[in-house]
């Protein structure tokens, strides 16, 4: 989440979380991407998308995926623009 990123224009419209689903921290990178790659595939069964909520910008209709990464000593808000071409 970039500093100064305006989140109050974003409205939660759904979630990819499945209640009572077993925890899955595996990522899906068949083409050698990583979690930060701009072209990393979006697969709802895999981390972090399986923990993400879907948000829509009230101004332009852009969709975003958001989740909160909780490490041992930090809480990190993460957001990615939803690019339908990357959904697998
Ligand atoms: Zn917008």
């Amino acid at each position: 989440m970039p500093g100064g990123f305006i989140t109050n224009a974003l409205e939660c419209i759904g979630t990819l979380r499945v209640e009572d689903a077993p925890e899955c921290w595996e990522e899906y990178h068949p083409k050698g991407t990583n979690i930060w790659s701009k072209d990393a595939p979006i697969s709802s069964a895999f981390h972090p998308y399986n923990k993400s909520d879907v948000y829509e910008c009230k101004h332009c209709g852009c969709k975003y995926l958001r989740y909160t990464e909780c490490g041992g000593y930090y809480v990190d808000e993460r957001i990615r623009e939803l690019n339908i071409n990357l959904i697998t």
Side-chain angles (χ1 to χ4, degrees):
M1 178 91 55
F5 190 86
I6 295 160
T7 56
N8 55 15
L10 298 179
E11 187 176 23
C12 186
I13 57 169
T15 184
L16 298 178
R17 282 179 283 121
V18 177
E19 228 176 291
D20 298 328
E23 274 200 28
C24 171
W25 291 92
E26 206 176 314
E27 298 174 20
Y28 183 68
H29 298 293
K31 292 183 183 148
T33 50
N34 66 58
I35 195 170
W36 301 108
S37 302
K38 283 203 178 344
D39 57 346
I42 296 171
S43 177
S44 63
F46 289 88
H47 178 79
Y49 307 104
N50 58 0
K51 302 164 190 71
S52 293
D53 296 319
V54 185
Y55 282 77
E56 182 178 56
C57 175
K58 286 184 262 185
H59 301 302
C60 66
C62 271
K63 311 287 190 293
Y64 294 91
L65 298 171
R66 280 174 84 172
Y67 89 107
T68 305
E69 170 89 13
C70 298
Y73 301 97
Y74 66 95
V75 173
D76 199 11
E77 276 250 58
R78 298 202 175 153
I79 189 163
R80 184 180 190 193
E81 191 171 348
L82 178 54
N83 178 344
I84 58 167
N85 298 315
L86 296 174
I87 297 174
T88 59

